[in-house]
Amino acid sequence: ASDWSSDVCSSDLPLTLEIVAAGVVGYLLGSFSSARFVGRLVAPGTDVTRVAKTLASGDRFEIASASGTAVQLTLGARWGGLTGTLDALKVALPMLAARALGFGVEVEVAIAVGGLVGHVLPIWHRFHGGRGEAPTYGAILTLDPTGVLISLAIGMAFGFVVGNILALRWAPLVALIGFAAVIRDDALFATYVAFALLFYMWASWGELTQLAVLAKKGTAPGNEEIAAELGMGGGLGRAVDRWSVPGDRKSTRLNSSH
């Protein structure tokens, strides 16, 4: 088993109380909206939490989230990147602080869970938050950066093999669950990643539902459009189309409409 599970907490409080307290602290910190902060700093008066795009098919695609993706689509890649970094740090830094104070990994994971829930359902903003990708990666990079890098390589390779940009985005987390459970033999870490993935997909349900409706109509966007809509960059979608095993496919470009 992982050495993480053998860590000894430095506090005299019962472990259960420490975990609950850590989760509450993580939630309150996670509720800080980096997207709104950056939006007010860079473009006061601009709503960065709701973005509408017109697809090549003429259909509209909406993203209603306070996230780095929404900021990137509204204000540009530089500010979107800053937002994502802040969202990752608001979880990673408290976890590192807990580690420095001698608390066990259970407390770190509780902070990660609380931070993720706070990011998606922030109490300060009527529970309208982001989707959870940045705080999830902030947490897992803090817990096991090597495993994350390996899983990213495996997951991205899988995305290229199947020729699907959404698989490329989410497969690394699926791979990390297997890495944590089988290679590290760490049930706690594997459980956290599984929870984060499911919570992330639940938070993204609005966008996924729109894509499903478009697919049913026969007007689903291609990899390039989806990559652009999700802030991954159309170039990555074109690369998936070009180099995937299913073969070179025609990409479509996204037209903005705010």
Side-chain angles (χ1 to χ4, degrees):
S2 169
D3 291 338
W4 293 345
S5 59
S6 64
D7 289 344
V8 178
C9 296
S10 64
S11 172
D12 293 330
L13 294 173
L15 179 58
T16 301
L17 184 58
E18 288 181 348
I19 290 173
V20 171
V24 171
V25 170
Y27 174 79
L28 294 176
L29 293 174
S31 291
F32 170 76
S33 178
S34 304
R36 292 180 175 90
F37 171 76
V38 171
R40 289 167 185 165
L41 182 68
V42 177
T46 301
D47 185 1
V48 298
T49 67
R50 295 187 182 278
V51 182
K53 295 286 182 179
T54 299
L55 306 179
S57 63
D59 296 296
R60 285 176 66 80
F61 187 87
E62 297 184 0
I63 295 177
S65 71
S67 63
T69 297
V71 171
Q72 177 176 333
L73 293 173
T74 305
L75 303 178
R78 176 175 62 170
W79 300 114
L82 174 61
T83 301
T85 300
L86 292 175
D87 283 336
L89 290 176
K90 70 183 180 183
V91 173
L93 291 180
M95 292 173 66
L96 291 172
R99 184 180 304 174
L101 291 172
F103 288 96
V105 71
E106 297 90 348
V107 170
E108 290 185 49
V109 171
I111 292 171
V113 170
L116 174 59
V117 175
H119 176 78
V120 176
L121 302 169
I123 191 171
W124 316 123
H125 301 286
R126 299 181 180 181
F127 306 105
H128 177 214
R131 297 296 176 251
E133 185 175 26
T136 294
Y137 273 94
I140 60 180
L141 282 168
T142 301
L143 292 170
D144 188 356
T146 301
V148 172
L149 293 176
I150 293 173
S151 299
L152 275 172
I154 295 172
M156 292 183 70
F158 176 78
F160 273 96
V161 167
V162 300
N164 186 288
I165 196 70
L166 291 179
L168 184 146
R169 188 175 185 125
W170 286 329
L173 291 177
V174 176
L176 186 58
I177 295 171
F179 180 87
V182 177
I183 305 300
R184 292 206 62 112
D185 189 22
D186 194 309
L188 178 61
F189 186 31
T191 301
Y192 167 72
V193 180
F195 165 77
L197 175 60
L198 292 174
F199 198 61
Y200 175 24
M201 296 183 71
W202 171 79
S204 303
W205 195 251
E207 289 82 14
L208 294 176
T209 299
Q210 291 179 75
L211 291 174
V213 170
L214 293 175
K216 189 174 181 180
K217 288 174 56 180
T219 59
N223 284 319
E224 181 180 355
E225 279 196 298
I226 294 175
E229 292 154 16
L230 299 182
M232 301 169 71
L236 181 58
R238 289 193 298 274
V240 170
D241 282 334
R242 180 175 181 182
W243 301 108
S244 66
V245 170
D248 189 10
R249 294 183 239 177
K250 183 179 179 181
S251 293
T252 52
R253 295 188 179 279
L254 184 71
N255 300 308
S256 297
S257 177
H258 298 286

